[in-house]
Amino acid sequence: MKLSRAIPLVGLAAAGATAAQAETITVATVNNNDMVIMQSLTDAFEQSHPDISLDWVVLEENVLRQRLTTDIATGGGQFDVMTIGTYEVPIWAERDWLAPLDDLPADYRVDDLLKSVRDGLSDDDGTLHALPFYAESSMLYYRKDLFDDAGIEMPEQPTWEQVRDWAGQLHDPDNETYGICLRGKPGWGENMAFVSTLVNTFGGRWFDMDWQPQIDSPAWQEAIGFYVDLLNDYGPPGASSNGFNENLALFSRGNCAMWVDATSAAGKLYNPDESTVADQLGFAPAPVAKTPKGSHWLWSWALAIPASSDSKDAAREFIAWATSQEYVDLVGEREGWTSVPPGTRVSTYENPNYQEAAPFADFVLNAIQGADPKDSTLEPNPYVGVQFVGIPEFQSIGTQVGQMVASALTGETSVEQALQAAQRATQRTMERAGYFD
């Protein structure tokens, strides 16, 4: 009897020892839908990797960026996996803040990653420093039922003048339907991601070839004036508080006639379990004004390992799993094929299940491949990036300018005053950083 009692006790002790040996890695990510799905699949990862457990830190986009930048710049070591983007990766890799990912297993199939996305996450030697979780461009979403009722036909390439006209026709605030929803929440990756593409297509740029800021130029004045008037006339109340997630919620509830934002929203909007307008969703290229250059962005949310992590091998196991084709298949089977992370792998777009479920698939792929970070403005510029400027100073510059643009949107200042203040602030930052002799 004593022996028989001892057997389960030994088994429990062994199980406890195994659990105690599991290495915990801390994953910091943004509260976007695709990442929420990733977190929900923790059990699937931990069951296939019993020696690794996941601890999640899920934050709003602006907060995430602040926390991660502070931690990695100081070598804090709070996180083993960081969700960062096409902007941070080359800058942080150059400073040796990220672990290189040059030893991935053969079955990861690096060559299956879309070249434009892979290049954006690699150094000049082609070494990856982050793996793409999903990638996106931008596009125009619209409600086909409202367009049909108004007799509006969407052209192959809409213009911003047309969008303003349509917004005026479809704006019905008494019934909580607004002509257009756009990002207004300040932040270099929030309102300025959209605003930069608007400025691009209006013929503007952030800097000239001598790194002189161009924020008070006629093109910026015209673009921001257009944006402020459009949202104030035909946007939802409190637009200055709306970022990607807030507008996604508005559109999916049927409150927006149009929305220009990330292609990554298409999967959720086409999912009838997530969207009341799934059966009435139309899409078109991001609108253009004076030039098509830079009218739609190129971005990838990627998973990287900070050099300060003490659990790099376990972190590498996780990010390889979360960005693999096997993960895409897992999401497709569990969540539905419209919910898989888009924009990263050729095999996703060759998958008949995805092609059948996602009528937007080829459109999104073409938008991602058609965005050119090295030729994004009508006049020449010295930087790489469509909706951002690929220099370390841009994070603070973009956030500061974003706050000034938001102040013009709320009417606290005029467009002219906001852009003059933004010009002066950016000029000071560039001078201090040594861009001028």
Side-chain angles (χ1 to χ4, degrees), residues 260-344:
V260 180
D261 212 299
T263 57
S264 58
K268 183 166 184 174
L269 293 177
Y270 262 99
N271 184 344
D273 295 330
E274 302 274 356
S275 169
T276 64
V277 295
D279 60 343
Q280 295 295 338
L281 182 63
F283 55 89
V288 300
K290 295 181 178 178
T291 175
K293 282 190 176 184
S295 61
H296 57 289
W297 66 61
L298 178 63
W299 180 258
S300 173
W301 277 116
L303 303 178
I305 304 170
S308 55
S309 169
D310 292 328
S311 301
K312 293 185 181 66
D313 290 343
R316 188 178 286 105
E317 287 278 337
F318 171 70
I319 68 173
W321 173 83
T323 61
S324 65
Q325 186 58 40
E326 289 71 25
Y327 176 86
V328 171
D329 293 341
L330 176 65
V331 175
E333 291 161 7
R334 290 203 183 185
E335 305 291 329
W337 283 97
T338 59
S339 297
V340 305
T344 59

Side-chain angles (χ1 to χ4, degrees), residues 14 22 39 49 59 92 95 99 101 148 166 169 216 256 259 274 281 283 348 352 355 357 376 379 390:
Q39 184 185 13
H49 300 77
L59 300 167
W92 292 5
R95 297 180 176 186
L101 301 171
D148 290 344
W166 300 332
Q169 294 182 55
D216 62 353
C256 309
W259 179 35
E274 302 274 356
L281 182 63
F283 55 89
T348 301
Q355 287 281 352
S376 60
E379 296 182 273

Side-chain angles (χ1 to χ4, degrees), residues 85-86 89-90 116-123 127-132 300 302:
T86 314
V89 172
S116 59
V117 176
R118 189 173 74 235
D119 288 349
L121 302 175
S122 303
D123 61 20
T127 299
L128 282 159
H129 284 80
L131 302 182
S300 173

Side-chain angles (χ1 to χ4, degrees), residues 374-397:
K374 296 182 179 178
D375 185 20
S376 60
T377 55
L378 184 61
E379 296 182 273
N381 72 64
Y383 52 85
V384 175
V386 181
Q387 80 282 23
F388 60 82
V389 177
I391 58 174
E393 295 76 18
F394 183 73
Q395 186 163 347
S396 61
I397 288 172

Side-chain angles (χ1 to χ4, degrees), residues 71-338:
D71 184 73
I72 202 159
T74 59
Q78 293 182 48
F79 309 106
D80 301 298
V81 174
M82 291 182 166
T83 305
I84 58 177
T86 314
Y87 166 72
E88 293 97 344
V89 172
I91 295 171
W92 292 5
E94 188 176 359
R95 297 180 176 186
D96 296 325
W97 289 351
L98 301 176
L101 301 171
D102 50 4
D103 55 352
L104 295 165
D107 61 3
Y108 182 76
R109 299 170 60 210
V110 170
D111 290 343
D112 188 41
L113 299 175
L114 292 174
K115 186 177 185 305
S116 59
V117 176
R118 189 173 74 235
D119 288 349
L121 302 175
S122 303
D123 61 20
D124 292 339
D125 296 329
T127 299
L128 282 159
H129 284 80
L131 302 182
F133 182 65
Y134 73 77
E136 65 185 28
S137 185
S138 52
M139 63 197 287
L140 167 63
Y141 301 98
Y142 66 98
R143 282 182 52 182
K144 291 190 292 187
D145 55 337
L146 298 182
F147 270 61
D148 290 344
D149 290 346
I152 302 170
E153 186 172 341
M154 178 63 71
E156 188 173 331
Q157 174 58 72
T159 68
W160 277 109
E161 285 297 325
Q162 289 173 321
V163 166
R164 179 164 60 185
D165 180 54
W166 300 332
Q169 294 182 55
L170 302 175
H171 190 56
D172 186 11
D174 290 341
N175 290 303
E176 296 187 341
T177 301
Y178 308 102
I180 191 161
C181 293
L182 299 169
R183 297 189 190 191
K185 179 189 288 185
W188 73 265
E190 278 283 9
N191 64 342
M192 294 315 296
F194 166 75
V195 166
S196 293
T197 61
L198 187 68
V199 168
N200 292 340
T201 195
F202 270 82
R205 53 187 172 166
W206 277 92
F207 300 96
D208 68 14
M209 292 300 291
D210 296 319
W211 289 106
Q212 293 289 340
Q214 302 295 296
I215 302 170
D216 62 353
S217 66
W220 271 81
Q221 298 277 355
E222 186 178 1
I224 304 305
F226 178 91
Y227 163 78
V228 167
D229 289 345
L230 181 63
L231 269 183
N232 282 333
D233 290 345
Y234 307 123
S240 63
S241 299
N242 294 339
F244 170 77
N245 282 322
E246 292 81 6
N247 282 319
L248 175 59
L250 283 168
F251 194 95
S252 64
R253 291 197 300 262
N255 297 122
C256 309
M258 292 178 285
W259 179 35
V260 180
D261 212 299
T263 57
S264 58
K268 183 166 184 174
L269 293 177
Y270 262 99
N271 184 344
D273 295 330
E274 302 274 356
S275 169
T276 64
V277 295
D279 60 343
Q280 295 295 338
L281 182 63
F283 55 89
V288 300
K290 295 181 178 178
T291 175
K293 282 190 176 184
S295 61
H296 57 289
W297 66 61
L298 178 63
W299 180 258
S300 173
W301 277 116
L303 303 178
I305 304 170
S308 55
S309 169
D310 292 328
S311 301
K312 293 185 181 66
D313 290 343
R316 188 178 286 105
E317 287 278 337
F318 171 70
I319 68 173
W321 173 83
T323 61
S324 65
Q325 186 58 40
E326 289 71 25
Y327 176 86
V328 171
D329 293 341
L330 176 65
V331 175
E333 291 161 7
R334 290 203 183 185
E335 305 291 329
W337 283 97
T338 59

